[in-house]
Amino acid sequence: MNSNDTDTDTNDLPIAFIRGFVFCSEHGSEFCSKCMMDQRLNNNQNIMGALKKAFPDKKGDFADRPPIATAFSICTRSKTHKSPMFGDFLFECNPHKVPECPACFDWEKIVISQMKLVYSSKNPNAIPVVLSRDDKLGLLASMGVDLPPKTRLPDLDLERRLEKGIDKAQGFEKLIGEGHGNRKAYDPSRLSKWPSSKSLLNGMTTSSLAEALHNAAKGSREPELYKNPFTDTRQSLMGLGNAWDHKPRMSCHIFEDKEEEHGICMRVVDVFMLPNDIPLIVVLYLRGLRSYPPTCSIKWVQDLQETKEIFGMPKIHATEAEQNLLLTILERNSERLSPDYRPKRRSNEKDFTLSFLLPLAPLSQQNIMELSTITGCGMCGDETTSRCSGCLAVEYCGTICQKADWKTHKSMCNSLKSGKNLHLVTMNHRSKPSVDNATITSSLDPAATGTASSTAIPSNIYGSKPFLIKIQRQVTPPGMNVNNLKNNPNSTMMIYDEQRTANFWLINGDDKEAFGTALEETKTGPRGLKVYRWAKRVGDLELSVCIDKGPVRDPQW
Ligand SMILES: [Zn+2]
Ligand SMILES: [Zn+2]
Ligand SMILES: [Zn+2]
Ligand SMILES: [Zn+2]
């Protein structure tokens, strides 16, 4: 983000000159809401002829064109070449290391291609969300859908999984249904309004047993913020509910990350009620970036300040990843609204996009299983032709995928091929885990609570493939130690995977020897309480655990 360290003596100017264009010196942006500058009009003077020629139908000075966001992404300040005019160091392009490179700093070409892209889009004022593969994988992982980080699954496949995950999390099919959910056909105004006497915060609050267990095990009910975009988005949605319940009502929000690079302006327009008292929040929103806040978003914020609505405008801190998820949901739901549904807009919201939000619930184990399954090659889904000769546990379509997976697979492979296997028969006593003190509210998806509470057999999303588990012993009360646990037939240990798709309970009395071995291992782990190990499911309640060797570095969950 930041440019290379520059020699402050020669660079006091808050601006950077690069081949005739001016940018903020901190970020390399033509427009910068942090550095408070907009150089577009100024820079346009250099290319006005070309702009007029490229866009003969457009009038004016093109001062509102999309600005060049980060010139610094293609160049570095030179350590040797000084500008003869200003005496500061010039910028060299990264590809050729040429100061003032005419090929790389072809602003005319860059600006015109950006303008063409924006002017040809549906809503020229909306900045589209473009997610990279890593972004998509990260969002899926935050919902519990763990795919190999270097997976070669096609882009479209990843996109489908993300869309499906989002729809399952908002319970879309169940709540609104396929019939109404057709593209551009849904009109929420036919629903009854959310009664003002009813708490929207409660309506937006969802939870599942798995989640409650997780929080209970962590010893806290408060989820950690800004680590998991899915959890964060759910918190923010509750925040919208809370603000709506507030007297006086707060309906305007600004989402912004800590670096103030990404933002969303949002106004809750109306709230409706779906069956089972599930709220549907209609919003108008607009995305902005530090280097490109649409003009109307600036106006919107100014107007709020003037009308004193600013007091009712909590700024919601939201990481870039959370905003990506939120925008993906909003774009998806926006496509579903009927053009006949046109709630009243304020004059400064002309360019805002209309959409709606539903409460988000954690995915059920069933959903997670479906969305994480890769049949065939573990990397790309193709038919398998080879098997890792080290551990014989994973199969691939060929050497390309096997090589791509090696960095991830290595640690597991080494453990599996040389470790000692311990056969564990687990018990799932409903009475053992003390989850009763954790808040469990209804989930949108009965499967999310159903599977975990009504059957003692944990789901199996891994099939016969090895997966990482955590073995955690009980915390001993003061004056007691591990030996007391060993001697008590009622001692338990908890075993689960990162996404908690499967929780197992090990009871000392069932198999003292195996319990003892696993208990000894926990001494070697973090705080002598837990260890991470590779395991394979060998029965409904049976695991084969590679007990004496785990990952090189302990994961943090
Ligand atoms: Zn700046
Ligand atoms: Zn160059
Ligand atoms: Zn493959
Ligand atoms: Zn292997």
Side-chain angles (χ1 to χ4, degrees):
M1 213 176 52
N2 212 334
S3 69
N4 290 306
D5 281 340
T6 49
D7 195 347
T8 39
D9 291 343
T10 51
N11 289 301
D12 301 333
L13 294 171
I15 47 178
F17 290 96
I18 311 176
R19 200 165 170 262
F21 262 43
V22 180
F23 304 90
C24 75
S25 63
E26 199 176 333
H27 311 93
S29 307
E30 272 193 291
F31 185 110
C32 185
S33 63
K34 258 192 185 169
C35 303
M36 310 269 272
M37 68 166 62
D38 185 354
Q39 297 290 345
R40 287 177 291 183
L41 193 56
N42 187 10
N43 289 342
N44 281 355
Q45 302 314 315
N46 297 320
I47 54 170
M48 193 52 90
L51 292 179
K52 286 211 150 85
K53 210 168 133 198
F55 304 97
D57 303 335
K58 297 242 179 238
K59 289 191 182 69
D61 47 18
F62 301 98
D64 61 349
R65 67 167 167 83
I68 298 172
T70 47
F72 292 165
S73 65
I74 55 166
C75 61
T76 312
R77 203 184 273 273
S78 166
K79 294 204 161 60
T80 45
H81 297 90
K82 278 193 180 181
S83 152
M85 211 198 294
F86 302 103
D88 58 342
F89 286 104
L90 292 168
F91 285 83
E92 346 180 291
C93 70
N94 293 336
H96 315 105
K97 307 270 173 267
V98 173
E100 303 286 276
C101 175
C104 295
F105 307 137
D106 190 345
W107 305 129
E108 182 182 305
K109 200 171 109 195
I110 292 172
V111 165
I112 289 174
S113 74
Q114 275 190 6
M115 287 167 80
K116 282 192 173 151
L117 199 76
V118 167
Y119 293 157
S120 67
S121 77
K122 271 183 306 186
N123 180 358
N125 291 295
I127 307 169
V129 208
V130 183
L131 300 184
S132 68
R133 280 179 73 84
D134 283 349
D135 290 338
K136 286 176 205 156
L137 286 169
L139 294 183
L140 278 165
S142 76
M143 290 193 258
V145 179
D146 242 339
L147 297 166
K150 286 230 151 54
T151 182
R152 296 170 70 230
L153 284 174
D155 264 333
L156 201 63
D157 184 302
L158 288 184
E159 217 163 289
R160 290 273 149 75
R161 285 176 202 245
L162 183 57
E163 286 172 355
K164 201 166 167 202
I166 286 172
D167 280 354
K168 292 289 178 194
Q170 49 178 3
F172 186 80
E173 269 164 55
K174 217 167 295 169
L175 290 175
I176 295 173
E178 276 309 302
H180 299 282
N182 286 339
R183 285 168 80 85
K184 302 196 183 298
Y186 188 58
D187 183 352
S189 63
R190 288 177 216 146
L191 299 166
S192 55
K193 294 228 180 183
W194 186 263
S196 57
S197 58
K198 209 171 169 65
S199 160
L200 186 57
L201 171 61
N202 283 347
M204 293 306 286
T205 306
T206 58
S207 179
S208 74
L209 187 73
E211 193 175 35
L213 269 166
H214 187 66
N215 293 340
K218 275 189 145 176
S220 101
R221 291 188 214 165
E222 296 296 319
E224 256 184 293
L225 282 179
Y226 317 130
K227 290 256 161 69
N228 176 316
F230 181 67
T231 314
D232 293 344
T233 306
R234 294 177 57 215
Q235 290 291 320
S236 294
L237 292 187
M238 290 181 222
L240 293 188
N242 197 26
W244 184 261
D245 292 338
H246 193 269
K247 309 247 179 321
R249 174 169 289 167
M250 304 185 214
S251 56
C252 295
H253 304 273
I254 296 175
F255 293 77
E256 201 169 48
D257 61 347
K258 227 179 34 235
E259 296 76 26
E260 298 175 1
E261 287 285 323
H262 307 262
I264 305 170
C265 298
M266 184 186 284
R267 183 167 70 88
V268 175
V269 176
D270 224 333
V271 183
F272 295 100
M273 189 150 73
L274 287 157
N276 298 322
D277 295 2
I278 307 282
L280 180 148
I281 301 183
V282 176
V283 300
L284 282 164
Y285 74 98
L286 186 75
R287 182 182 191 213
L289 300 171
R290 171 191 56 73
S291 57
Y292 190 9
T295 321
C296 55
S297 73
I298 300 169
K299 175 101 173 61
W300 190 80
V301 175
Q302 283 169 349
D303 288 352
L304 284 182
Q305 284 164 337
E306 265 161 38
T307 56
K308 300 271 191 295
E309 237 180 301
I310 187 89
F311 295 123
M313 186 179 59
K315 211 182 232 187
I316 300 181
H317 175 62
T319 62
E320 181 186 358
E322 179 192 338
Q323 293 185 43
N324 281 342
L325 181 60
L326 194 57
L327 289 164
T328 309
I329 296 170
L330 287 166
E331 282 187 0
R332 186 156 177 75
N333 289 347
S334 173
E335 285 292 308
R336 292 169 155 146
L337 286 174
S338 157
D340 299 331
Y341 174 56
R342 280 190 297 254
K344 223 168 129 196
R345 285 169 191 247
R346 295 175 179 175
S347 61
N348 56 16
E349 292 169 343
K350 217 162 53 42
D351 297 321
F352 280 47
T353 306
L354 183 68
S355 187
F356 63 88
L357 291 163
L358 297 165
L360 290 178
L363 294 182
S364 69
Q365 294 162 4
Q366 178 69 28
N367 293 150
I368 289 177
M369 177 168 69
E370 278 168 26
L371 293 169
S372 4
T373 302
I374 305 176
T375 50
C377 170
M379 289 298 282
C380 73
D382 275 0
E383 222 173 292
T384 56
T385 58
S386 66
R387 188 185 280 265
C388 171
S389 58
C391 62
L392 304 177
V394 289
E395 292 182 272
Y396 300 100
C397 66
T399 46
I400 296 178
C401 280
Q402 185 165 0
K403 272 192 189 146
D405 194 31
W406 180 242
K407 225 181 138 191
T408 315
H409 176 61
K410 196 172 155 187
S411 152
M412 182 209 274
C413 191
N414 288 337
S415 301
L416 291 176
K417 85 179 160 201
S418 59
K420 246 191 253 123
N421 279 327
L422 179 68
H423 187 95
L424 295 179
V425 181
T426 66
M427 287 296 293
N428 277 27
H429 283 219
R430 290 295 107 197
S431 53
K432 285 292 171 195
S434 59
V435 291
D436 25 335
N437 52 6
T439 333
I440 302 167
T441 51
S442 72
S443 161
L444 282 176
D445 198 337
T449 49
T451 350
S453 56
S454 63
T455 132
I457 299 174
S459 65
N460 180 9
I461 73 163
Y462 305 98
S464 58
K465 287 179 190 159
F467 59 100
L468 200 60
I469 53 160
K470 176 155 101 181
I471 307 177
Q472 187 166 329
R473 73 162 171 88
Q474 285 171 294
V475 180
T476 47
M480 303 242 283
N481 59 35
V482 177
N483 285 331
N484 299 93
L485 292 178
K486 210 176 256 178
N487 297 331
N488 183 349
N490 293 325
S491 295
T492 60
M493 269 191 284
M494 207 184 345
I495 299 180
Y496 54 90
D497 62 332
E498 179 173 15
Q499 308 305 341
R500 302 192 71 100
T501 61
N503 289 289
F504 299 92
W505 294 91
L506 209 57
I507 316 277
N508 192 11
D510 290 343
D511 183 345
K512 281 205 157 212
E513 204 185 319
F515 190 92
T517 310
L519 190 62
E520 277 303 312
E521 275 308 310
T522 59
K523 285 189 189 168
T524 67
R527 287 184 290 144
L529 277 175
K530 56 190 180 179
V531 279
Y532 300 88
R533 292 291 182 258
W534 301 103
K536 260 195 273 193
R537 193 75 169 264
V538 289
D540 284 345
L541 291 170
E542 287 164 63
L543 294 168
S544 173
V545 181
C546 174
I547 196 67
D548 58 343
K549 284 200 172 127
V552 185
R553 211 166 291 142
D554 279 324
Q556 300 288 318
W557 45 267

mmCIF file of all heavy atoms in Angstrom, residues 152 377-383 396-398 400-402, ligand 3:
data_model
loop_
_atom_site.group_PDB
_atom_site.id
_atom_site.type_symbol
_atom_site.label_atom_id
_atom_site.label_comp_id
_atom_site.label_asym_id
_atom_site.label_seq_id
_atom_site.Cartn_x
_atom_site.Cartn_y
_atom_site.Cartn_z
ATOM 1 N N ARG A 152 -7.220 -26.380 -7.582
ATOM 2 C CA ARG A 152 -7.319 -25.986 -8.985
ATOM 3 C C ARG A 152 -8.750 -26.137 -9.495
ATOM 4 O O ARG A 152 -8.991 -26.175 -10.700
ATOM 5 C CB ARG A 152 -6.335 -26.803 -9.819
ATOM 6 C CG ARG A 152 -4.882 -26.512 -9.427
ATOM 7 C CD ARG A 152 -3.902 -27.475 -10.055
ATOM 8 N NE ARG A 152 -3.776 -27.273 -11.487
ATOM 9 C CZ ARG A 152 -3.860 -28.254 -12.385
ATOM 10 N NH1 ARG A 152 -4.105 -29.486 -12.007
ATOM 11 N NH2 ARG A 152 -3.724 -28.005 -13.661
ATOM 12 N N CYS A 377 -9.885 -36.109 -7.805
ATOM 13 C CA CYS A 377 -8.639 -35.481 -7.368
ATOM 14 C C CYS A 377 -8.920 -34.407 -6.317
ATOM 15 O O CYS A 377 -9.764 -33.538 -6.526
ATOM 16 C CB CYS A 377 -7.921 -34.858 -8.563
ATOM 17 S SG CYS A 377 -6.530 -33.805 -8.130
ATOM 18 N N GLY A 378 -8.189 -34.488 -5.198
ATOM 19 C CA GLY A 378 -8.421 -33.565 -4.098
ATOM 20 C C GLY A 378 -8.132 -32.115 -4.438
ATOM 21 O O GLY A 378 -8.518 -31.208 -3.715
ATOM 22 N N MET A 379 -7.447 -31.876 -5.546
ATOM 23 C CA MET A 379 -7.106 -30.513 -5.925
ATOM 24 C C MET A 379 -8.027 -29.935 -6.994
ATOM 25 O O MET A 379 -8.327 -28.760 -6.992
ATOM 26 C CB MET A 379 -5.663 -30.457 -6.439
ATOM 27 C CG MET A 379 -4.622 -30.637 -5.353
ATOM 28 S SD MET A 379 -4.700 -29.337 -4.106
ATOM 29 C CE MET A 379 -3.873 -28.018 -4.984
ATOM 30 N N CYS A 380 -8.422 -30.728 -7.959
ATOM 31 C CA CYS A 380 -9.159 -30.164 -9.086
ATOM 32 C C CYS A 380 -10.454 -30.891 -9.404
ATOM 33 O O CYS A 380 -11.251 -30.427 -10.212
ATOM 34 C CB CYS A 380 -8.287 -30.121 -10.337
ATOM 35 S SG CYS A 380 -8.025 -31.740 -11.062
ATOM 36 N N GLY A 381 -10.693 -32.018 -8.757
ATOM 37 C CA GLY A 381 -11.939 -32.726 -8.993
ATOM 38 C C GLY A 381 -11.904 -33.684 -10.170
ATOM 39 O O GLY A 381 -12.851 -34.423 -10.391
ATOM 40 N N ASP A 382 -10.812 -33.676 -10.934
ATOM 41 C CA ASP A 382 -10.718 -34.601 -12.070
ATOM 42 C C ASP A 382 -10.592 -36.051 -11.587
ATOM 43 O O ASP A 382 -10.334 -36.310 -10.427
ATOM 44 C CB ASP A 382 -9.490 -34.257 -12.926
ATOM 45 C CG ASP A 382 -9.809 -33.169 -13.936
ATOM 46 O OD1 ASP A 382 -10.983 -32.717 -13.942
ATOM 47 O OD2 ASP A 382 -8.906 -32.763 -14.683
ATOM 48 N N GLU A 383 -10.738 -36.941 -12.538
ATOM 49 C CA GLU A 383 -10.585 -38.351 -12.223
ATOM 50 C C GLU A 383 -9.171 -38.618 -11.683
ATOM 51 O O GLU A 383 -8.208 -38.019 -12.152
ATOM 52 C CB GLU A 383 -10.777 -39.150 -13.516
ATOM 53 C CG GLU A 383 -11.604 -40.406 -13.340
ATOM 54 C CD GLU A 383 -11.878 -41.029 -14.690
ATOM 55 O OE1 GLU A 383 -12.637 -40.417 -15.480
ATOM 56 O OE2 GLU A 383 -11.324 -42.099 -14.959
ATOM 57 N N TYR A 396 -4.673 -38.185 -6.560
ATOM 58 C CA TYR A 396 -4.606 -37.037 -7.472
ATOM 59 C C TYR A 396 -4.866 -37.456 -8.921
ATOM 60 O O TYR A 396 -4.778 -38.637 -9.256
ATOM 61 C CB TYR A 396 -3.220 -36.385 -7.402
ATOM 62 C CG TYR A 396 -2.844 -35.884 -6.039
ATOM 63 C CD1 TYR A 396 -2.003 -36.612 -5.210
ATOM 64 C CD2 TYR A 396 -3.359 -34.677 -5.567
ATOM 65 C CE1 TYR A 396 -1.656 -36.155 -3.953
ATOM 66 C CE2 TYR A 396 -3.023 -34.208 -4.312
ATOM 67 C CZ TYR A 396 -2.173 -34.944 -3.509
ATOM 68 O OH TYR A 396 -1.844 -34.486 -2.272
ATOM 69 N N CYS A 397 -5.094 -36.427 -9.763
ATOM 70 C CA CYS A 397 -5.301 -36.710 -11.194
ATOM 71 C C CYS A 397 -3.969 -36.872 -11.898
ATOM 72 O O CYS A 397 -3.886 -37.415 -12.983
ATOM 73 C CB CYS A 397 -6.080 -35.569 -11.830
ATOM 74 S SG CYS A 397 -5.176 -34.017 -11.865
ATOM 75 N N GLY A 398 -2.905 -36.357 -11.288
ATOM 76 C CA GLY A 398 -1.602 -36.448 -11.921
ATOM 77 C C GLY A 398 -0.574 -35.651 -11.143
ATOM 78 O O GLY A 398 -0.870 -35.131 -10.058
ATOM 79 N N ILE A 400 0.817 -32.729 -11.670
ATOM 80 C CA ILE A 400 0.656 -31.277 -11.516
ATOM 81 C C ILE A 400 -0.088 -30.964 -10.214
ATOM 82 O O ILE A 400 0.339 -30.150 -9.398
ATOM 83 C CB ILE A 400 -0.100 -30.669 -12.723
ATOM 84 C CG1 ILE A 400 0.738 -30.865 -13.991
ATOM 85 C CG2 ILE A 400 -0.360 -29.185 -12.492
ATOM 86 C CD1 ILE A 400 0.084 -30.343 -15.252
ATOM 87 N N CYS A 401 -1.197 -31.661 -10.014
ATOM 88 C CA CYS A 401 -1.984 -31.431 -8.806
ATOM 89 C C CYS A 401 -1.238 -31.920 -7.567
ATOM 90 O O CYS A 401 -1.289 -31.299 -6.513
ATOM 91 C CB CYS A 401 -3.342 -32.110 -8.909
ATOM 92 S SG CYS A 401 -4.511 -31.147 -9.879
ATOM 93 N N GLN A 402 -0.552 -33.046 -7.708
ATOM 94 C CA GLN A 402 0.170 -33.576 -6.554
ATOM 95 C C GLN A 402 1.248 -32.592 -6.110
ATOM 96 O O GLN A 402 1.410 -32.330 -4.923
ATOM 97 C CB GLN A 402 0.792 -34.929 -6.908
ATOM 98 C CG GLN A 402 1.462 -35.575 -5.702
ATOM 99 C CD GLN A 402 1.753 -37.047 -5.924
ATOM 100 O OE1 GLN A 402 1.447 -37.593 -6.992
ATOM 101 N NE2 GLN A 402 2.324 -37.687 -4.932
HETATM 102 ZN ZN ZN B 3 -6.095 -32.688 -10.191
#
